[in-house]
Amino acid sequence: MGQQLALRHVQKRYGPVWAVRDTSLEVQAGEFVSIVGPSGSGKTSLLTMIAGFETPTAGAIVVGDQDVTLLAPHHRNIGMVFQKYALFPHMTVRQNIAFPLKMRRLAKGQDADRRVDAMLDLVQLGALQSRYPHELSGGQQQRVAVARALVFDPPVILMDEPLGALDKKLRESMQFEIKQIQERIGATVIYVTHDQEEALTMSDRVAVMHAGRLEQIGTSVELYTRPETAFIADFVGSINFIPGIVCRIEKSAVTIRCGLSLLETRPTNIRSGELPGEGSSVRIGVRPEHVEIDTRSASGTRSIAQHGHTVERAMGSGLSGTVETIVFAGASRTALVRLHGAPDVVLRASLPAQLGALPERGAEVWLRISADATLLFNAS
């Protein structure tokens, strides 16, 4: 069973360069937390400090009730799954899994065999236990690495880009396998990845690092629907940013001039008392799936293309633009529309692939955005 992990004001500096700045984080026992961020954001530095490969410049790392900040890696009893697995090529699957027990002198004889058998059963590799790493597929090697990290029942397991070497289909399959194993044994997992979709799929919570700081931590839904900064909104999923000027504020509704149009918003990421004042320069954030494409029909109505159906609506206010292209993307199509009056802004609208009567390249269209599907950020 996993234990709680706490980072308390942890910092790491290499000469004049700050890799991690004043980061505090609490991971509950049995929780799966992913750390994501762009290259150089500090996520790997954070992981190496938890593992004990680097010592913090300041702050404390606590596992359960024990401060492990200054302990050597082999005294922390933390499991580690590396990106390239680091399996011993001269050892069989069974010997690789048993190695941590031997080094820690945790179990011998039948007790060790029992633990290894349990891990082989957990990762479904019992039939391959006599093979060597070079005789295994990438996914099988990854399972061996996970079993080796789990066999000594560590309080915390660290995973550093463990699926990075796998192809897309196998990576998606292994995501569910790792999550199922973690839930079955109740392990506490810290998972570092550059793949935002992977983190959102697997994690109980996701921590986003930026420029050495923990920018925000929350559930996948919280990060996607209520990002605290424009960086989070842009990093987690796909989003459109539309520049504009605040024209009017009525309770929680904010009317913004965008190019040649007015757009009413009720931003979900800020409270009414924190809304920008009239005349402020802002950026509206809207996910592609919340952008509807309207095409003007001969009857004077617009045919609204949106997820799952097409409906007719009377004309009303909205953004106007010109379709630049339609990109096929499997289960959906993405329309790129350049806004009138804001030629530097190209919006992405996600539409079902099976939807008919899509506008052609060069078509003049209207875009509808639900006021309740918008986010609002300062222009800077």
Side-chain angles (χ1 to χ4, degrees), residues 158-172:
L158 309 179
M159 297 189 178
D160 184 15
E161 301 272 12
L163 306 181
L166 304 180
D167 63 67
K168 178 176 172 58
K169 196 161 188 178
L170 181 55
R171 187 165 67 244
E172 291 175 349

Side-chain angles (χ1 to χ4, degrees), residues 134-289:
H134 73 273
E135 298 175 308
L136 303 175
S137 68
Q140 290 165 345
Q141 291 181 34
Q142 198 269 346
R143 291 186 201 176
V144 176
V146 170
R148 186 178 61 182
L150 295 174
V151 70
F152 60 96
D153 194 24
V156 175
I157 299 169
L158 309 179
M159 297 189 178
D160 184 15
E161 301 272 12
L163 306 181
L166 304 180
D167 63 67
K168 178 176 172 58
K169 196 161 188 178
L170 181 55
R171 187 165 67 244
E172 291 175 349
S173 174
M174 292 307 302
Q175 289 173 13
F176 290 104
E177 290 198 28
I178 289 176
K179 183 60 178 175
Q180 287 176 342
I181 290 172
Q182 182 263 338
E183 290 178 340
R184 199 177 309 161
I185 65 176
T188 302
V189 173
I190 310 297
Y191 189 99
V192 166
T193 179
H194 69 280
D195 189 325
Q196 302 97 308
E197 184 177 343
E198 185 172 286
L200 295 175
T201 299
M202 300 176 68
S203 311
D204 297 314
R205 289 189 297 158
V206 178
V208 185
M209 297 288 294
H210 179 47
R213 299 184 185 278
L214 180 59
E215 190 103 348
Q216 185 177 348
I217 182 168
T219 66
S220 300
V221 173
E222 288 170 347
L223 292 177
Y224 193 78
T225 60
R226 294 188 298 279
E228 294 177 359
T229 65
F231 170 81
I232 297 292
D234 191 30
F235 189 79
V236 179
S238 180
I239 195 166
N240 297 296
F241 286 116
I242 310 169
I245 304 293
V246 176
C247 296
R248 184 171 62 252
I249 299 177
E250 295 179 355
K251 296 183 179 179
S252 61
V254 183
T255 302
I256 299 171
R257 179 169 294 282
C258 307
L260 302 179
S261 306
L262 294 177
L263 187 64
E264 182 180 291
T265 69
R266 284 188 292 275
T268 59
N269 62 318
I270 52 180
R271 292 183 287 270
S272 59
E274 300 172 345
L275 292 172
E278 293 184 7
S280 300
S281 296
V282 295
R283 284 192 293 171
I284 302 167
V286 59
R287 303 291 182 184
E289 64 269 23

Side-chain angles (χ1 to χ4, degrees), residues 317-344:
S317 63
L319 303 178
S320 62
T322 303
V323 175
E324 294 210 328
T325 188
I326 302 286
V327 179
F328 179 76
S332 66
R333 288 173 181 159
T334 298
L336 303 182
V337 181
R338 190 172 297 277
L339 288 190
H340 293 158
D344 293 335

